[in-house]
Amino acid sequence: MDKLHIYNTLSRQKEEFEPIKEGFVGIYVCGPTVYGDPHLGHAKSYVSFDVVIRYLRYLGYKVRYVQNITDVGHLTDDADQGEDKLEKQAAIEKLEPMEIAEKYTYNYFRDMDALGVQRPDISPRATGHIIEQIEMVKKLLENGHAYETDGNVYFDVSSDEDYGKLSGRDVEDQESGARIETASDKRSPEDFALWKKADDGHIMKWPSPWGKGYPGWHVECSAMSTKYLGEHFDIHGGGMDNQFPHHECEIAQSEGAFNKPFANYWMHNNMVTLEGQKMGKSLGNAISLHEFFSGDHELLNRAWDPQIIRFFLLQSHYRSTTDFSEEALAGAENGLRSLQEMINTINSAENGSANAYDLKSLRTSLESKLNDDFNTAQAIAVLFEELKTIRKQINSGDIPENIADVKEFLRSFVDDVLRLWPQEDQSSTGDDKTHDLIELLIDIRNNARHEKNFELSDTIRDRLEELNIKLMDSPEGTDYKIVK
RNA sequence: GGCGACGUGGCCGAGUGGUCAGGCAGAGGUCUGCAAAACCUCCUACGGCGGUUCGAUUCCGCCCGUCGCCUCCA
């Protein structure tokens, strides 16, 4: 595809992307509720959208990326009965709710940084936008889409003909089988809370025209996306599990308050399983990202470099489910290393004089893959094939005359967009003394080899390998690399 | 019960109505004192049963299975 196409959940098909304002993209992605450490599901979602953002920028768009931090209003249970997740965790950890929010916001960014996820341009907190949320609720009341009962304000779903258009649901069909525990003051079970009255035990509460209370979960996204991206913007993203009810409610609120379309394109990433099973605390397999990075979990045999997890995720499509297992990750690790070896070889090639490599077709081919709803899996396949070809040329001594352009392009694509560039100068690599010492040992070993003292030469090689220093002989001499 | 997605070779995973995904693992070979790396070659799958078609893994129907949502979740 020569133009960017995005699968739009609203239409259930791929559509050519056309921004509202030429050259600019406003995108909102649902962020985390900060009451626990991020896990593989977060990784899938935010790595997926990271590539979306990076690729939009690569294409030359000026992007404003907004991703909320939910620190109030998200309930543990039924939207009417549950406890606030932050307050519940605060009780467990014996901390203030805002301490919980700070702690897990910190952990969230720490782990996302490790995965190479670019930070959003704006990370608005729900608690920092109570006024905006109250204003939004007032508008909905004025427009007849909401009603107040005894300090609670609910959205009146029956007032919105379009309700269900995103998730393809028909409100009337939802009753049977679903657990219904309607709060007594709601007119209809599908109505949802915009503002909740706080009882005395509630810590996080604010004054409002309806008394002291706190905002409903869905309204924060409507209020904050509007504040930073406008009432009508380009792309809204999030996990598939949020399609209903969260995103459906956002649309209802925003379109009900402003009487204009909300987001043009809705993107949803698919879910993650672990060894074929859904992850969940009750199943005992909810491993946090931090535990993956450190290997510190009883279900894990070893630590997994964040970049391996990123690569593994990008090898599948964001709209497919991803099943994690250590076996699959090990395969991904070898694949990633081999890809990065190719990049290193190409990147260290000197200027050449052989026929130019057809960079334009590589570029076109890679772009066409990402233009097709961000098909990173195919883009990576193209990279494997093409980089292998380039390396072959370099190894045979025919370095293309445009090798500098090739390097520059790889930087912009593999590093800036996919973020799979080889990690440079890790730990001991950059140390000059270490380098000199290894070279010294290589010299000694090569002398031994000339004298056919293979016992000594092999000892040197084996002992270095024990130190994770791998020697590679070639007709041009001996090279080494430090492996992790 | 309702809505939706999916089922690809040992593993992970794209994709398509009729020549190829790709990666990992494995096998053989070239090179090497040996190994590693690199290079060459091989391993040719599409849940089951029907239907449409000259031809289906790709379209349709049914069945089986897995997963998601319908209630908090990326």
Side-chain angles (χ1 to χ4, degrees):
Chain A
M1 288 187 181
D2 58 354
K3 290 194 170 158
L4 177 61
H5 286 66
I6 295 177
Y7 180 90
N8 191 347
T9 308
L10 274 174
S11 65
R12 312 252 162 207
Q13 57 192 11
K14 289 177 194 169
E15 298 173 10
E16 185 176 331
F17 176 68
E18 299 199 30
I20 294 166
K21 191 176 171 200
E22 204 183 327
F24 292 83
V25 179
I27 175 168
Y28 186 93
V29 174
C30 281
T33 300
V34 284
Y35 71 106
D37 282 325
H39 50 67
L40 289 173
H42 295 97
K44 165 118 182 159
S45 187
Y46 300 119
V47 166
S48 299
F49 286 106
D50 185 55
V51 172
V52 170
I53 305 293
R54 287 169 177 277
Y55 187 58
L56 287 167
R57 290 196 168 124
Y58 168 93
L59 291 178
Y61 289 108
K62 191 164 183 339
V63 179
R64 178 180 286 174
Y65 177 25
V66 180
Q67 185 193 97
N68 60 292
I69 297 285
T70 298
D71 54 3
V72 69
H74 199 165
L75 307 183
T76 56
D77 216 308
D78 182 281
D80 306 308
Q81 317 287 323
E83 292 176 79
D84 186 292
K85 289 188 174 194
L86 272 289
E87 292 207 359
K88 187 181 177 190
Q89 190 64 26
I92 293 169
E93 299 194 31
K94 295 192 168 43
L95 293 170
E96 279 286 323
M98 288 311 277
E99 287 179 293
I100 293 294
E102 282 302 318
K103 175 181 171 182
Y104 291 112
T105 300
Y106 178 90
N107 288 357
Y108 170 71
F109 283 121
R110 176 197 62 195
D111 294 346
M112 291 304 131
D113 288 348
L115 287 168
V117 173
Q118 254 178 1
R119 295 211 177 187
D121 299 304
I122 304 175
S123 296
R125 272 73 169 168
T127 53
H129 297 77
I130 300 295
I131 290 167
E132 287 83 349
Q133 296 181 69
I134 290 174
E135 287 305 312
M136 183 121 199
V137 176
K138 278 156 88 174
K139 270 215 173 60
L140 287 167
L141 283 163
E142 283 165 22
N143 292 354
H145 286 299
Y147 56 90
E148 187 213 342
T149 50
D150 186 33
N152 294 313
V153 183
Y154 296 103
F155 187 94
D156 177 8
V157 169
S158 70
S159 75
D160 178 12
E161 287 180 4
D162 279 347
Y163 191 80
K165 72 178 175 184
L166 178 71
S167 53
R169 276 160 216 275
D170 195 343
V171 170
E172 272 109 66
D173 291 348
Q174 295 303 307
E175 313 300 314
S176 69
R179 198 176 66 192
I180 307 167
E181 285 175 35
T182 315
S184 53
D185 57 345
K186 279 209 289 195
R187 285 185 197 161
S188 192
E190 62 270 13
D191 291 351
F192 55 92
L194 297 169
W195 186 264
K196 294 284 291 177
K197 179 182 178 178
D199 55 35
D200 292 342
H202 220 85
I203 302 169
M204 292 190 286
K205 57 191 166 189
W206 291 263
S208 79
W210 318 285
K212 281 199 170 181
Y214 56 95
W217 174 40
H218 311 301
V219 76
E220 61 166 279
C221 286
S222 287
M224 297 193 294
S225 60
T226 300
K227 172 154 182 163
Y228 299 111
L229 296 173
E231 294 164 3
H232 177 210
F233 58 92
D234 296 299
I235 304 173
H236 190 125
M240 226 170 228
D241 50 346
N242 271 332
Q243 218 173 81
F244 189 90
H246 186 54
H247 294 157
E248 200 70 70
C249 295
E250 276 186 57
I251 293 174
Q253 291 164 345
S254 289
E255 299 191 348
F258 306 121
N259 292 312
K260 56 172 80 164
F262 186 39
N264 280 349
Y265 301 86
W266 281 84
M267 297 180 65
H268 291 97
N269 64 275
N270 215 129
M271 314 302 283
V272 161
T273 52
L274 191 61
E275 311 235 328
Q277 266 201 316
K278 181 186 176 169
M279 287 192 306
K281 282 183 179 146
S282 55
L283 296 165
N285 66 348
I287 308 176
S288 74
L289 284 173
H290 200 58
E291 286 163 339
F292 264 95
F293 300 162
S294 68
D296 186 18
H297 190 284
E298 57 183 8
L299 291 178
L300 296 176
N301 294 309
R302 50 164 284 199
W304 295 96
D305 189 294
Q307 209 180 33
I308 299 169
I309 291 175
R310 183 179 177 99
F311 178 72
F312 182 64
L313 286 166
L314 295 183
Q315 263 192 314
S316 68
H317 189 85
Y318 76 91
R319 283 192 289 112
S320 304
T321 54
T322 302
D323 184 39
F324 277 84
S325 67
E326 289 198 291
E327 190 190 356
L329 281 175
E333 175 172 40
N334 290 335
L336 175 64
R337 296 295 170 235
S338 129
L339 186 72
Q340 293 182 329
E341 280 300 313
M342 296 186 213
I343 291 170
N344 281 333
T345 301
I346 293 164
N347 213 38
S348 56
E350 305 290 334
N351 287 339
S353 54
N355 286 346
Y357 171 78
D358 189 355
L359 185 56
K360 187 160 176 258
S361 84
L362 173 65
R363 184 196 306 269
T364 307
S365 161
L366 288 171
E367 289 176 1
S368 77
K369 302 306 183 191
L370 292 196
N371 282 341
D372 185 8
D373 196 31
F374 308 97
N375 198 327
T376 52
Q378 288 212 341
I380 287 171
V382 168
L383 278 176
F384 268 105
E385 289 196 355
E386 286 303 308
L387 297 193
K388 200 175 275 186
T389 305
I390 301 174
R391 173 171 65 183
K392 222 179 286 179
Q393 264 191 9
I394 291 172
N395 282 345
S396 66
D398 298 330
I399 301 178
E401 60 182 11
N402 62 341
I403 191 73
D405 297 336
V406 173
K407 290 186 204 176
E408 191 188 329
F409 171 71
L410 287 181
R411 261 289 176 193
S412 71
F413 199 89
V414 182
D415 197 17
D416 294 347
V417 178
L418 299 178
R419 201 70 189 174
L420 296 173
W421 202 254
Q423 293 164 348
E424 291 147 7
D425 293 338
Q426 279 173 18
S427 57
S428 53
T429 334
D431 187 337
D432 284 347
K433 275 262 153 53
T434 307
H435 173 76
D436 292 345
L437 282 168
I438 294 171
E439 290 294 337
L440 174 65
L441 287 165
I442 288 174
D443 282 348
I444 294 171
R445 172 169 171 271
N446 280 337
N447 285 337
R449 289 173 69 205
H450 282 305
E451 291 159 12
K452 302 213 183 299
N453 184 353
F454 296 121
E455 196 183 339
L456 175 60
S457 67
D458 288 351
T459 302
I460 293 174
R461 185 175 67 200
D462 294 345
R463 294 289 296 275
L464 281 174
E465 184 147 11
E466 284 170 24
L467 299 170
N468 291 329
I469 297 164
K470 214 166 192 172
L471 299 189
M472 287 162 301
D473 298 322
S474 74
E476 291 86 47
T478 303
D479 204 357
Y480 74 91
K481 66 175 176 184
I482 300 180
V483 293
K484 278 195 88 176

